[in-house]
Amino acid sequence: MDLVPALEEPLRQPLKSVLGPATAKVMAEHLGLVTVGDLLHHYPRRYEERGQLTHLADLPMDEHVTVVAQVADARLHTFASAKAPRGKGQRLEVTITDGSGRLQLVFFGAGVHKPHKELLPGTRAMFAGKVSVFNRRLQLAHPAYELLRGDPEESVETWAGALIPIYPATAKLESWKIGKAIQTVLPTAQEAVDPLPDTLREGRGLVPLPEALLKIHRPHTKADIEDARSRLKWDEAFVLQVALARRRHADAQLPAVPRKPAPDGLLTAFDARLPFTLTDGQQRVSREIFDDLATDHPMHRLLQGEVGSGKTMVALRAMLAVVDAGGQAAMLAPTEVLAQQHHRSVVEMMGELAEGGMLGGAEQGTKVVLLTGSMGAAARRHALLDLTTGEAGIVIGTHALIEDKVQFHDLGLVVVDEQHRFGVEQRDALRGKGKQPPHLLVMTATPIPRTVAMTVFGDLETSVLDQLPAGRSPIASHVVPAADKPHFLSRAWERVREEVENGHQAYVVCPRIGDEEDDPKKSAKKKSPEDEAEKRPPLAVLDVAGHLSKGPLQGLRVEVLHGRMHPDDKDAVMRRFAAGETHVLVATTVIEVGVNVPNATAMVIMDADRFGVSQLHQLRGRVGRGSAPGLCLLVTEMPEASPARQRLGAVASTLDGFELSRIDLEQRREGDVLGQAQSGARTSLKVLAVIEDEEIIAEAREEATAVVAADPELTHLPALRTALDALLDEEREQYLEKG
């Protein structure tokens, strides 16, 4: 982050390499560490005290772990095998303990000699390897290890109390090797330039950056670690918030055309047609949006809403208000299925108001066109012409809207659906289509805790819809443990039949399509026999649909839907399902967002443990959209005590998306959440935890806003500018990678 010459130095240079070329290569390829500065900002994940050892009892399966423990016993066995038929094969079994549990280490063949000499009972060492199960016991096969000998000068107490940093490592480079590399470059930390303004740092009692770097990598006490982390959290939060504050500041300087709906225009006519009244929440959020649209700088608003809270209705009314005021509105959807679905439902809701200029169309109506990448040439030409002339007031489309060929007559509002699928640059490309910057409304059905909204969408104002429209039914959710209780799965298919017999429909969701096997790249990956046995491939749509049609759901009309089908076929399948001609739709997550079939009341999610919490919540929101109650069954083969089962239990126990998003965040690293959120948010949060550090983020946002208001170009804060340039470089790189 701090780009000053000493820290800019590459770890791998032809002439005077800071580290050995092999180590530098692994660091660059596997950990993204290229310069001395990168390495200094690779912080320990945790610390071990030699006297207070890791809980072996809590080791996660299939993960690369580093543990500190003591050898309890070591035994050398001989055995016969294909390679050593005369009983000359050797296996060394070492048992290590930390007081909380025991763990078996196994070494084979020629690899037994060194550990046999070194790992004697009573020896303490750091061990690193992948946790696997053999004969129902946890083990590490061929772990790397580093003996902890302690300095002969050191007293036993000092040695036992020393804090050992454990770094995020890879199978190719153990934590202690990273630690040694960091010790080599640690003296250059003195040259780190401090991005925090002095007044802020002193006012909050934070230590200077060089001191924080020394304390995080070489702490003497736990207080050192605390000081360092408090300081480094502020760096991350503050620099990120300054980037967002500058973006808000720049956006606020842009001119925009105020868009006020005509008193008796399209919006009034539309509201008069509505067969229901808007919820209080919809009315409140609409007022916030209309106030923004009436100003002469662009609206930048994030509309968060629970699944099924009526966001599309709010967005449509905003689009109609802009058309009323003489402009055009564009809605950007992440997939063709969703774009077609939105187009269909907008046309249905508007009726003759969507047939402007056509025979039988309403006088104050407008045209609503669809634009996707797979449209035929003639239909596409027609749609593009309607946009250029202004004949079409509303356009709904996918990425195709961003292409150069697309010209608008007067683009006044851009609505982006499911924001986390689009990067900042894609939003900007569409906004660049207006003569003046259009207003922007971003929608997401993934509820986001306040702090994440501040971190990821910090350049947007936020509105929240948390009330469900009247007439929506509750959804009952249950976990179906298919391995422990196979009869529960049989009962699940009976329940689907019952729903169909009562005139309803059902979804069955699978993680995979099932025709991927022909992909040579994927099949080229060799798997170990254990992987093959333990991890069967996720269930696939094509297999499950075949099995259900011939078995438990024989006699029902079952169809499939997935992303690799031709768009016309997808549309035809969705139309048949929406019309009630298909009983059961077996699909991938293409149905996750926006698909609205009120008659579908049941959903069975196969291998539910393979989906994230918010994704399950999204999927579940597809049922219970009518007056009949919804049912969602989460099928899993995971054992009862596993984290995956606990996650599914959490989803089954609450319909509150905000609560689930917190659980989701606590279980995953924020990096995933921020990473998929948008290319324009820095994903490499190292010490800042979005949920725990709520206060720091809120305070950093205030400080950043004040700093940017006083000095938008950061002329008086060169070190902060440098840190910001480094952050934005990273953003640009990420965007190019995602491209």
Side-chain angles (χ1 to χ4, degrees):
M1 192 156 86
D2 313 280
L3 296 188
V4 297
L7 301 195
E8 257 179 54
E9 220 168 271
L11 293 169
R12 185 184 183 189
Q13 285 177 315
L15 296 173
K16 48 168 201 157
S17 184
V18 178
L19 303 173
T23 308
K25 184 171 186 254
V26 172
M27 283 194 172
E29 287 176 7
H30 293 271
L31 296 167
L33 308 175
V34 180
T35 65
V36 171
D38 293 341
L39 187 51
L40 285 174
H41 286 289
H42 187 71
Y43 309 130
R45 177 177 288 159
R46 58 191 169 86
Y47 299 85
E48 285 296 0
E49 282 181 78
R50 290 189 176 120
Q52 185 194 353
L53 304 169
T54 329
H55 284 305
L56 292 181
D58 305 338
L59 287 182
M61 274 294 298
D62 271 341
E63 276 193 30
H64 201 82
V65 298
T66 304
V67 296
V68 179
Q70 183 166 344
V71 177
D73 71 33
R75 293 178 189 180
L76 191 59
H77 302 275
T78 54
F79 61 92
S81 71
K83 287 185 183 167
R86 296 197 187 145
K88 294 278 176 63
Q90 290 193 307
R91 181 174 79 244
L92 175 66
E93 290 180 3
V94 178
T95 307
I96 58 172
T97 177
D98 63 353
S100 76
R102 296 167 90 82
L103 178 65
Q104 185 110 28
L105 315 179
V106 193
F107 301 89
F108 291 102
V112 304
H113 305 307
K114 186 167 173 271
H116 191 215
K117 283 205 300 261
E118 294 182 334
L119 297 178
L120 303 170
T123 311
R124 283 182 167 173
M126 260 199 282
F127 301 92
K130 194 172 175 189
V131 183
S132 58
V133 170
F134 182 70
N135 278 346
R136 311 199 80 165
R137 287 165 66 193
L138 291 183
Q139 71 166 27
L140 295 184
H142 281 284
Y145 62 88
E146 174 91 334
L147 300 178
L148 297 175
R149 294 199 170 85
D151 192 325
E153 312 287 297
E154 228 172 3
S155 74
V156 178
E157 286 74 28
T158 329
W159 185 83
L163 294 161
I164 308 167
I166 305 287
Y167 289 93
T170 76
K172 297 249 166 64
L173 196 64
E174 289 85 23
S175 167
W176 53 86
K177 289 186 181 159
I178 297 171
K180 283 178 179 166
I182 287 173
Q183 296 302 336
T184 316
V185 300
L186 204 50
T188 51
Q190 293 304 338
E191 297 178 49
V193 176
D194 203 323
L196 292 192
D198 292 348
T199 47
L200 189 158
R201 189 172 57 71
E202 287 156 10
R204 295 187 175 273
L206 299 169
V207 300
L209 182 60
E211 188 184 326
L213 290 171
L214 284 170
K215 283 183 166 174
I216 197 132
H217 291 299
R218 200 187 276 164
H220 294 298
T221 62
K222 288 184 179 163
D224 283 354
I225 301 171
E226 216 30 63
D227 284 353
R229 288 177 68 86
S230 313
R231 163 59 219 247
L232 295 167
K233 280 179 178 183
W234 257 94
D235 273 21
E236 283 183 10
F238 181 69
V239 176
L240 180 58
Q241 291 301 337
V242 167
L244 293 166
R246 288 188 71 197
R247 197 179 161 90
R248 285 196 302 275
H249 184 270
D251 285 342
Q253 310 309 308
L254 296 171
V257 179
R259 309 278 179 176
K260 292 181 182 161
D264 285 315
L266 185 55
L267 181 62
T268 314
F270 175 75
D271 283 349
R273 283 179 52 93
L274 283 181
F276 52 81
T277 46
L278 298 174
T279 65
D280 296 347
Q282 285 175 317
Q283 290 179 6
R284 184 193 71 245
V285 171
S286 289
R287 276 195 301 276
E288 291 172 351
I289 291 170
F290 291 156
D291 289 349
D292 282 358
L293 290 174
T295 62
D296 53 10
H297 56 85
M299 159 171 88
H300 291 107
R301 192 166 278 283
L302 170 69
L303 171 56
Q304 287 198 68
E306 267 292 10
V307 179
S309 57
K311 292 178 300 300
T312 315
M313 174 59 71
V314 169
L316 176 56
R317 293 184 73 243
M319 295 199 285
L320 296 174
V322 168
V323 175
D324 250 355
Q328 289 168 296
M331 184 184 225
L332 186 58
T335 63
E336 294 209 346
V337 167
L338 191 52
Q340 288 163 340
Q341 174 88 26
H342 276 320
H343 180 255
R344 248 198 319 274
S345 57
V346 164
V347 169
E348 273 166 25
M349 285 195 274
M350 287 175 64
E352 73 268 19
L353 295 174
E355 297 165 2
M358 291 187 258
L359 215 58
E363 186 190 340
Q364 64 273 67
T366 186
K367 224 181 214 184
V368 180
V369 300
L370 175 69
L371 189 65
T372 64
S374 64
M375 279 168 80
R380 191 179 167 77
R381 252 199 323 275
H382 212 104
L384 290 172
L385 189 66
D386 283 345
L387 290 182
T388 316
T389 58
E391 184 101 350
I394 293 177
V395 58
I396 295 167
T398 54
H399 286 75
L401 285 176
I402 300 173
E403 288 171 16
D404 293 344
K405 293 193 196 86
V406 181
Q407 300 288 323
F408 288 86
H409 176 64
D410 177 15
L411 182 60
L413 170 67
V414 172
V415 178
V416 180
D417 191 20
E418 282 313 307
Q419 161 58 21
H420 61 276
R421 313 277 182 98
F422 294 103
V424 168
E425 280 78 1
Q426 290 157 311
R427 281 184 353 208
D428 287 353
L430 190 52
R431 279 166 45 190
K433 302 269 182 196
K435 297 190 174 89
Q436 279 195 325
H439 298 280
L440 174 71
L441 179 65
V442 162
M443 301 198 295
T444 176
T446 309
I448 305 168
R450 192 176 71 101
T451 39
V452 181
M454 274 196 271
T455 312
V456 180
F457 304 109
D459 55 337
L460 305 171
E461 300 299 324
T462 306
S463 296
V464 178
L465 266 182
D466 44 14
Q467 207 183 350
L468 289 185
R472 276 296 163 89
S473 307
I475 305 170
S477 306
H478 303 286
V479 178
V480 177
D484 313 350
K485 300 179 178 165
H487 61 286
F488 275 37
L489 184 57
S490 314
R491 176 74 190 112
W493 301 128
E494 284 169 22
R495 281 293 287 113
V496 169
R497 272 189 175 283
E498 286 163 17
E499 289 299 312
V500 173
E501 279 159 14
N502 289 332
H504 298 302
Q505 292 157 279
Y507 297 99
V508 176
V509 182
C510 305
R512 215 163 49 98
I513 296 173
D515 57 0
E516 299 91 337
E517 280 65 30
D518 357 299
D519 185 340
K521 277 191 201 140
K522 287 187 184 164
S523 49
K525 265 191 170 171
K526 283 211 169 129
K527 291 186 179 150
S528 70
E530 298 90 67
D531 280 358
E532 288 291 358
E534 272 184 18
K535 294 188 173 169
R536 62 163 175 72
L539 290 169
V541 165
L542 302 176
D543 305 340
V544 169
H547 164 71
L548 293 176
S549 307
K550 296 189 186 83
L553 301 184
Q554 199 171 3
L556 302 187
R557 286 193 296 280
V558 177
E559 287 210 66
V560 299
L561 178 71
H562 59 75
R564 279 214 284 277
M565 287 164 64
H566 186 280
D568 293 349
D569 297 342
K570 280 194 267 198
D571 201 37
V573 168
M574 271 319 296
R575 277 175 193 277
R576 286 196 291 273
F577 190 63
E581 294 163 24
T582 306
H583 296 138
V584 178
L585 187 61
V586 182
T588 56
T589 54
V590 289
I591 60 152
E592 179 185 343
V593 192
V595 171
N596 186 19
V597 179
N599 191 45
T601 52
M603 176 177 283
V604 181
I605 302 179
M606 307 303 290
D607 279 344
D609 47 274
R610 312 257 181 161
F611 298 97
V613 169
S614 52
Q615 208 176 16
L616 291 169
H617 183 57
Q618 281 290 328
L619 285 166
R620 169 171 64 185
R622 302 300 112 219
V623 293
R625 299 178 80 86
S627 51
L631 171 69
C632 177
L633 301 174
L634 306 166
V635 179
T636 177
E637 293 187 356
M638 284 292 164
E640 198 163 354
S642 63
R645 271 285 282 280
Q646 288 161 3
R647 213 170 54 229
L648 296 179
V651 174
S653 67
T654 176
L655 290 171
D656 178 343
F658 286 92
E659 177 55 31
L660 285 173
S661 70
R662 284 189 84 97
I663 294 170
D664 198 15
L665 260 182
E666 280 158 9
Q667 293 196 337
R668 297 194 295 165
R669 302 250 329 281
E670 283 93 358
D672 311 344
V673 180
L674 303 185
Q676 60 169 188
Q678 59 185 70
S679 63
R682 182 172 187 211
T683 60
S684 53
L685 292 186
K686 297 187 177 88
V687 279
L688 193 69
V690 176
I691 293 282
E692 285 164 37
D693 298 321
E694 205 158 341
E695 280 175 30
I696 295 180
I697 293 170
E699 289 169 15
R701 182 179 163 118
E702 274 175 38
E703 294 270 11
T705 308
V707 164
V708 171
D711 180 4
E713 292 307 309
L714 307 179
T715 321
H716 304 297
L717 297 166
L720 176 56
R721 245 212 108 88
T722 305
L724 199 62
D725 290 344
L727 175 74
L728 297 175
D729 268 355
E730 206 171 311
E731 274 189 22
R732 272 188 219 105
E733 274 167 34
Q734 277 174 0
Y735 174 63
L736 292 171
E737 280 167 22
K738 292 190 178 183

